[in-house]
Amino acid sequence: MSDKKPIPFLDLKAQQARIASDLRRRLDTVLEHCQFILGPEVRELEAELARFCGAKHCVSVSSGTDALQIAMMAEDIGRGDAVFLPAFTYTATAEVPLLLGATPVFVDVDPRTFQIDPAHLTQRIEEVRAAGKLRPRAIVGVDLFGQPADWPALVDIARRNDLFLLDDLAQSFGASLHGKMLGSQADATATSFFPSKPLGAYGDGGALFTESEERADLFRSLRTHGEGKTRYEVLRTGMNGRLDSIQAAVLLAKLAVFPEELRARERIARTYDQRLGNAVTTPKRVPDSTSAWAIYAILLPDEAARDRTQAALRADGVPTAIYYPRPLHRQPAYSAQHDGAALPVSEDLATRILALPIHPDLTDEDVERICTAVLATV
Ligand SMILES: *Cc1c(COP(=O)(O)O)cnc(C)c1O
């Protein structure tokens, strides 16, 4: 066992110390006005977030999962509809179509960038059409681990097949592709402010982005029980999906330091690339993009090597995590929904992948210690 102090996988205390005075001031303001739900901080945050990612409309909501759900409810996605999504992602991406009665159709991912594979997506749409049981309705492109999916290809496939295109940006708010921030590539974009995401609140939170005013109005109605022009007119079945003012206040304080945090994450990722690239498989960059580096995942040769490396790092005070130990089509909750298509890349990644700590408060010494520890195990 190492006598060195363990490195935190995520250090929200160190981050809090950096923003303490702005955070206190903003929280005190909420405590003074007592408009706890959809208060002035929420409106300010929506304007700031839209400006940050260059989207026309931002509608804040209560979580990333609720953002996905509201986007799909606005499209009336339900029974008999096929929703195409990657098998290698967080559970919420598949859970939402199932909650609405639709069927997730799992698509494999690129073995080096881990993003949804457009060629396999096209093949899966053709398969579903040929089987004739489900109606192809929507694609959920997930920007996995901080990097962007192949949006030009996804937009093209969605257009050609007349499908609703939803961006699950939960892990990658702050990333860009071809010089443009993510947030306006798809028909709608959903993100999450879960505390461990690159931009995280102190509780649950999320946001929707869209270029369509009509869609933004629909999202606002759906997040407040389907309300109309007045609170007591109910136009449609909605949900309680609003954001708290306290969470908006936290997010405003964090947004002020977010660009420098993104730069710090990028610096750490570059060090990992350089120091570890010859010893393990480091993540391939999506061309002409920037990453929000929610997760930096390396690949080991096989499961035994991955488990050995993880155990050795733990003994050295270096925490790691496995995202994801199972692709979604292998989850007990979803396997019965799967049509049996082979998803070999997702299955292989689950056995070999390992996430290293990456957060803006890691010191150069921490990063060096992590690299040395990884190199000692392979
Ligand atoms: C975190 C996450 C979500 C869900 O966000 P919550 O705010 O936790 O509901 C959805 N999709 C992906 C890919 C995620 O990583």
Side-chain angles (χ1 to χ4, degrees), residues 219-350:
F219 293 164
R220 275 189 210 99
S221 168
L222 285 165
R223 81 172 168 189
T224 308
H225 306 290
E227 74 175 13
K229 289 249 180 319
T230 70
R231 186 176 297 176
Y232 300 102
E233 182 187 32
V234 183
L235 297 179
R236 53 187 68 83
T237 305
M239 60 193 283
N240 177 354
R242 297 167 298 219
L243 186 71
D244 296 351
S245 306
I246 286 182
Q247 299 309 334
V250 171
L251 288 164
L252 282 164
K254 289 210 195 181
L255 194 58
V257 298
F258 190 48
E260 63 200 65
E261 292 190 343
L262 288 171
R263 285 192 290 276
R265 287 175 188 266
E266 173 62 30
R267 241 185 347 263
I268 296 163
R270 279 210 194 136
T271 306
Y272 283 156
D273 288 348
Q274 284 158 11
R275 294 276 282 117
L276 306 177
N278 290 330
V280 297
T281 306
T282 50
K284 184 178 163 200
R285 305 298 183 96
V286 170
D288 196 20
S289 76
T290 63
S291 175
W293 293 115
I295 288 164
Y296 186 97
I298 59 172
L299 294 176
L300 283 303
D302 54 40
E303 190 161 12
R306 193 259 309 272
D307 293 351
R308 268 199 313 277
T309 296
Q310 186 171 40
L313 291 176
R314 191 184 302 124
D316 246 350
V318 176
T320 57
I322 298 175
Y323 304 112
Y324 294 95
R326 265 192 217 206
L328 294 185
H329 67 290
R330 294 285 190 207
Q331 287 290 358
Y334 307 140
S335 56
Q337 303 286 332
H338 180 50
D339 59 11
L343 300 159
V345 179
S346 298
E347 289 184 11
D348 177 54
L349 291 177

Side-chain angles (χ1 to χ4, degrees), residues 53-332:
C53 72
K56 230 184 217 142
H57 306 277
C58 171
V59 179
S60 63
V61 294
S62 43
S63 71
T65 307
D66 289 345
L68 293 170
Q69 181 166 338
I70 288 170
M72 289 195 209
M73 285 169 78
E75 283 299 305
D76 262 324
I77 287 168
R79 210 155 291 287
D81 291 340
V83 177
F84 299 87
L85 54 95
F88 198 67
T89 176
Y90 183 61
T91 178
T93 317
E95 170 187 43
V96 170
L98 280 165
L99 274 172
L100 298 176
T103 304
V105 176
F106 296 108
V107 178
D108 218 348
V109 297
D110 181 283
R112 292 298 320 282
T113 65
F114 316 137
Q115 308 301 319
I116 187 168
D117 175 354
H120 194 236
L121 171 62
T122 300
Q123 185 189 324
R124 296 293 274 143
I125 295 169
E126 282 162 12
E127 281 169 13
V128 167
R129 275 204 211 291
K133 290 201 196 93
L134 298 168
R135 184 172 23 157
R137 274 299 301 282
I139 299 167
V140 188
V142 177
D143 304 294
L144 202 74
F145 294 171
Q147 293 215 86
D150 186 349
W151 287 104
L154 298 183
V155 166
D156 184 54
I157 293 167
R159 285 223 182 99
R160 274 193 283 116
N161 291 281
D162 195 22
L163 301 178
F164 172 63
L165 184 59
L166 177 58
D167 181 355
D168 181 345
L169 181 64
Q171 297 181 4
S172 306
F173 186 74
S176 70
L177 182 64
H178 306 316
K180 200 161 171 243
M181 301 293 288
L182 297 188
S184 53
Q185 280 70 9
D187 297 316
T189 297
T191 198
S192 163
F193 304 123
F194 186 78
S196 64
K197 308 285 181 179
L199 180 64
Y202 285 171
D204 282 305
L208 281 156
F209 299 94
T210 178
E211 299 306 285
S212 152
E213 187 167 353
E214 200 185 340
R215 254 199 196 102
D217 286 343
L218 201 45
F219 293 164
R220 275 189 210 99
S221 168
L222 285 165
R223 81 172 168 189
T224 308
H225 306 290
E227 74 175 13
K229 289 249 180 319
T230 70
R231 186 176 297 176
Y232 300 102
E233 182 187 32
V234 183
L235 297 179
R236 53 187 68 83
T237 305
M239 60 193 283
N240 177 354
R242 297 167 298 219
L243 186 71
D244 296 351
S245 306
I246 286 182
Q247 299 309 334
V250 171
L251 288 164
L252 282 164
K254 289 210 195 181
L255 194 58
V257 298
F258 190 48
E260 63 200 65
E261 292 190 343
L262 288 171
R263 285 192 290 276
R265 287 175 188 266
E266 173 62 30
R267 241 185 347 263
I268 296 163
R270 279 210 194 136
T271 306
Y272 283 156
D273 288 348
Q274 284 158 11
R275 294 276 282 117
L276 306 177
N278 290 330
V280 297
T281 306
T282 50
K284 184 178 163 200
R285 305 298 183 96
V286 170
D288 196 20
S289 76
T290 63
S291 175
W293 293 115
I295 288 164
Y296 186 97
I298 59 172
L299 294 176
L300 283 303
D302 54 40
E303 190 161 12
R306 193 259 309 272
D307 293 351
R308 268 199 313 277
T309 296
Q310 186 171 40
L313 291 176
R314 191 184 302 124
D316 246 350
V318 176
T320 57
I322 298 175
Y323 304 112
Y324 294 95
R326 265 192 217 206
L328 294 185
H329 67 290
R330 294 285 190 207
Q331 287 290 358

Side-chain angles (χ1 to χ4, degrees), residues 4-10 268-269 271-273 275-276 279-280 296 298 309-310 312-314 316-321 354-378:
K4 282 180 277 186
K5 207 168 141 247
I7 291 170
F9 194 74
L10 186 72
I268 296 163
T271 306
Y272 283 156
D273 288 348
R275 294 276 282 117
L276 306 177
V280 297
Y296 186 97
I298 59 172
T309 296
Q310 186 171 40
L313 291 176
R314 191 184 302 124
D316 246 350
V318 176
T320 57
L354 189 65
L356 303 179
I358 186 161
H359 62 76
D361 293 289
L362 284 174
T363 64
D364 291 348
E365 294 73 49
D366 291 336
V367 175
E368 186 47 39
R369 218 178 108 196
I370 294 164
C371 291
T372 306
V374 171
L375 292 171
T377 72
V378 295

